Amino acid sequence: MDDPNYSDIPRRIALLRSANCSEAEVDELRNDIIAHCMPLAEHISRRYVGRGEQADDLKQVALVGLINAVDRFNPEFGDDFLAFAVPTIMGEVRRHFRDTRWAVRVPRRLQEVHLAIGNATAELVQKLGRAPTSKELADDLDITLEQLEQAQLAGSAFSAQSVDVPRGNDSDSQPFMDAVGEPDVSFERFENHDALRAALDALPPRERTIIIMRFFGNKTQEQIAAQLNISQMHVSRLLTKTLRSLRGRIDGD
């Protein structure tokens, strides 16, 4: 991205990092850079207006993201400041929405991965000199491609449309509610599946094995005890403790 309005920012940030400036000069130069880039933060904040937050509040949050971008940008990795600053500012705004309001319940782990995508993308753009592929982004975040896609889709939970809104522009268009089927009781189980998998992965190997054998392998406590060469009473205690831990993790998500 080549924009004359911001093309000089990398050079000015490099000067900011150099040892040739006094502390007062560093503060003045940093403030000048931030002031010069404020229209960028304001432009991004306007994209999120209408989602339940005040425009002035969004401007302030975007400004925090801009400050983070200026402080974290490394000219040695590349000279495309916009490619780094835009996802950094957007990530700060999204983090604000995560902490204040999500229109649809999303597991906390997915929220955090969704918000980490912006910073990871910005850093990879600097290192690679181009937009990262999905695999490169997933590898950088240490997640699978499936988890990356789920986190990207989680962004749609920032806002929701009323089911009473007509489906079309015609005066006789049906509301969305009229086209929605009956509630599906399996949705809640599906929603908790990701949180359960993450909670299982976090268990110690033996406790995870016992849970899998008991609830996925349909083995009795006696069979588990015999296979693991421990007492049935010990299996019972571990099951009770592990199930309590799993409930706590899932409820926390």
mmCIF file of all heavy atoms in Angstrom, residues 156-172:
data_model
loop_
_atom_site.group_PDB
_atom_site.id
_atom_site.type_symbol
_atom_site.label_atom_id
_atom_site.label_comp_id
_atom_site.label_asym_id
_atom_site.label_seq_id
_atom_site.Cartn_x
_atom_site.Cartn_y
_atom_site.Cartn_z
ATOM 1 N N SER A 156 -18.697 -11.921 13.347
ATOM 2 C CA SER A 156 -20.080 -11.575 13.020
ATOM 3 C C SER A 156 -20.945 -11.469 14.260
ATOM 4 O O SER A 156 -22.082 -10.994 14.187
ATOM 5 C CB SER A 156 -20.675 -12.624 12.068
ATOM 6 O OG SER A 156 -20.698 -13.905 12.685
ATOM 7 N N ALA A 157 -20.421 -11.895 15.401
ATOM 8 C CA ALA A 157 -21.201 -11.830 16.638
ATOM 9 C C ALA A 157 -21.131 -10.475 17.301
ATOM 10 O O ALA A 157 -21.725 -10.253 18.341
ATOM 11 C CB ALA A 157 -20.710 -12.902 17.635
ATOM 12 N N PHE A 158 -20.389 -9.510 16.699
ATOM 13 C CA PHE A 158 -20.336 -8.163 17.263
ATOM 14 C C PHE A 158 -21.691 -7.484 17.188
ATOM 15 O O PHE A 158 -22.026 -6.627 17.994
ATOM 16 C CB PHE A 158 -19.318 -7.312 16.505
ATOM 17 C CG PHE A 158 -17.916 -7.529 16.972
ATOM 18 C CD1 PHE A 158 -16.895 -7.719 16.055
ATOM 19 C CD2 PHE A 158 -17.602 -7.531 18.310
ATOM 20 C CE1 PHE A 158 -15.588 -7.893 16.466
ATOM 21 C CE2 PHE A 158 -16.309 -7.705 18.739
ATOM 22 C CZ PHE A 158 -15.304 -7.899 17.806
ATOM 23 N N SER A 159 -22.472 -7.806 16.176
ATOM 24 C CA SER A 159 -23.760 -7.142 16.021
ATOM 25 C C SER A 159 -24.796 -8.128 15.531
ATOM 26 O O SER A 159 -24.472 -9.132 14.916
ATOM 27 C CB SER A 159 -23.652 -5.983 15.010
ATOM 28 O OG SER A 159 -23.253 -6.471 13.757
ATOM 29 N N ALA A 160 -26.042 -7.840 15.827
ATOM 30 C CA ALA A 160 -27.131 -8.722 15.425
ATOM 31 C C ALA A 160 -28.267 -7.899 14.866
ATOM 32 O O ALA A 160 -28.482 -6.754 15.256
ATOM 33 C CB ALA A 160 -27.620 -9.549 16.625
ATOM 34 N N GLN A 161 -28.996 -8.490 13.925
ATOM 35 C CA GLN A 161 -30.126 -7.800 13.316
ATOM 36 C C GLN A 161 -31.412 -8.318 13.910
ATOM 37 O O GLN A 161 -31.553 -9.508 14.180
ATOM 38 C CB GLN A 161 -30.126 -8.031 11.791
ATOM 39 C CG GLN A 161 -31.176 -7.219 11.054
ATOM 40 C CD GLN A 161 -31.052 -7.406 9.547
ATOM 41 O OE1 GLN A 161 -30.710 -8.477 9.074
ATOM 42 N NE2 GLN A 161 -31.340 -6.362 8.795
ATOM 43 N N SER A 162 -32.365 -7.455 14.135
ATOM 44 C CA SER A 162 -33.639 -7.852 14.708
ATOM 45 C C SER A 162 -34.355 -8.836 13.789
ATOM 46 O O SER A 162 -34.363 -8.678 12.563
ATOM 47 C CB SER A 162 -34.523 -6.621 14.937
ATOM 48 O OG SER A 162 -35.831 -7.020 15.288
ATOM 49 N N VAL A 163 -34.963 -9.850 14.385
ATOM 50 C CA VAL A 163 -35.708 -10.831 13.590
ATOM 51 C C VAL A 163 -37.021 -10.251 13.099
ATOM 52 O O VAL A 163 -37.726 -10.893 12.313
ATOM 53 C CB VAL A 163 -35.980 -12.109 14.415
ATOM 54 C CG1 VAL A 163 -34.695 -12.833 14.731
ATOM 55 C CG2 VAL A 163 -36.746 -11.777 15.705
ATOM 56 N N ASP A 164 -37.378 -9.053 13.550
ATOM 57 C CA ASP A 164 -38.606 -8.404 13.081
ATOM 58 C C ASP A 164 -38.381 -7.577 11.822
ATOM 59 O O ASP A 164 -39.323 -7.051 11.236
ATOM 60 C CB ASP A 164 -39.180 -7.501 14.180
ATOM 61 C CG ASP A 164 -39.648 -8.315 15.389
ATOM 62 O OD1 ASP A 164 -40.185 -9.415 15.183
ATOM 63 O OD2 ASP A 164 -39.446 -7.841 16.517
ATOM 64 N N VAL A 165 -37.099 -7.443 11.400
ATOM 65 C CA VAL A 165 -36.801 -6.661 10.203
ATOM 66 C C VAL A 165 -37.267 -7.428 8.971
ATOM 67 O O VAL A 165 -37.031 -8.632 8.860
ATOM 68 C CB VAL A 165 -35.286 -6.389 10.107
ATOM 69 C CG1 VAL A 165 -34.942 -5.714 8.792
ATOM 70 C CG2 VAL A 165 -34.843 -5.532 11.284
ATOM 71 N N PRO A 166 -37.946 -6.760 8.013
ATOM 72 C CA PRO A 166 -38.382 -7.454 6.786
ATOM 73 C C PRO A 166 -37.195 -8.019 6.033
ATOM 74 O O PRO A 166 -36.096 -7.463 6.037
ATOM 75 C CB PRO A 166 -39.084 -6.348 5.985
ATOM 76 C CG PRO A 166 -39.477 -5.340 7.011
ATOM 77 C CD PRO A 166 -38.401 -5.369 8.060
ATOM 78 N N ARG A 167 -37.417 -9.149 5.327
ATOM 79 C CA ARG A 167 -36.352 -9.814 4.577
ATOM 80 C C ARG A 167 -36.013 -9.062 3.299
ATOM 81 O O ARG A 167 -34.937 -9.207 2.754
ATOM 82 C CB ARG A 167 -36.778 -11.247 4.246
ATOM 83 C CG ARG A 167 -37.047 -12.111 5.465
ATOM 84 C CD ARG A 167 -37.644 -13.450 5.046
ATOM 85 N NE ARG A 167 -36.693 -14.211 4.219
ATOM 86 C CZ ARG A 167 -37.050 -15.273 3.499
ATOM 87 N NH1 ARG A 167 -38.322 -15.660 3.465
ATOM 88 N NH2 ARG A 167 -36.149 -15.926 2.799
ATOM 89 N N GLY A 168 -36.941 -8.283 2.768
ATOM 90 C CA GLY A 168 -36.704 -7.563 1.518
ATOM 91 C C GLY A 168 -37.137 -6.126 1.619
ATOM 92 O O GLY A 168 -37.520 -5.633 2.690
ATOM 93 N N ASN A 169 -37.093 -5.430 0.485
ATOM 94 C CA ASN A 169 -37.474 -4.024 0.467
ATOM 95 C C ASN A 169 -38.946 -3.810 0.155
ATOM 96 O O ASN A 169 -39.441 -2.686 0.257
ATOM 97 C CB ASN A 169 -36.625 -3.277 -0.575
ATOM 98 C CG ASN A 169 -35.143 -3.279 -0.210
ATOM 99 O OD1 ASN A 169 -34.793 -3.184 0.968
ATOM 100 N ND2 ASN A 169 -34.276 -3.411 -1.207
ATOM 101 N N ASP A 170 -39.638 -4.866 -0.256
ATOM 102 C CA ASP A 170 -41.055 -4.728 -0.589
ATOM 103 C C ASP A 170 -41.882 -4.515 0.658
ATOM 104 O O ASP A 170 -41.539 -4.987 1.749
ATOM 105 C CB ASP A 170 -41.558 -5.971 -1.331
ATOM 106 C CG ASP A 170 -40.801 -6.192 -2.641
ATOM 107 O OD1 ASP A 170 -40.309 -5.181 -3.182
ATOM 108 O OD2 ASP A 170 -40.706 -7.342 -3.088
ATOM 109 N N SER A 171 -42.996 -3.823 0.511
ATOM 110 C CA SER A 171 -43.851 -3.520 1.659
ATOM 111 C C SER A 171 -44.476 -4.777 2.247
ATOM 112 O O SER A 171 -44.847 -4.802 3.419
ATOM 113 C CB SER A 171 -44.957 -2.540 1.243
ATOM 114 O OG SER A 171 -45.724 -3.084 0.173
ATOM 115 N N ASP A 172 -44.615 -5.836 1.431
ATOM 116 C CA ASP A 172 -45.235 -7.056 1.922
ATOM 117 C C ASP A 172 -44.213 -8.139 2.259
ATOM 118 O O ASP A 172 -44.556 -9.318 2.381
ATOM 119 C CB ASP A 172 -46.224 -7.607 0.889
ATOM 120 C CG ASP A 172 -45.552 -7.887 -0.452
ATOM 121 O OD1 ASP A 172 -44.400 -7.454 -0.632
ATOM 122 O OD2 ASP A 172 -46.195 -8.542 -1.299
#
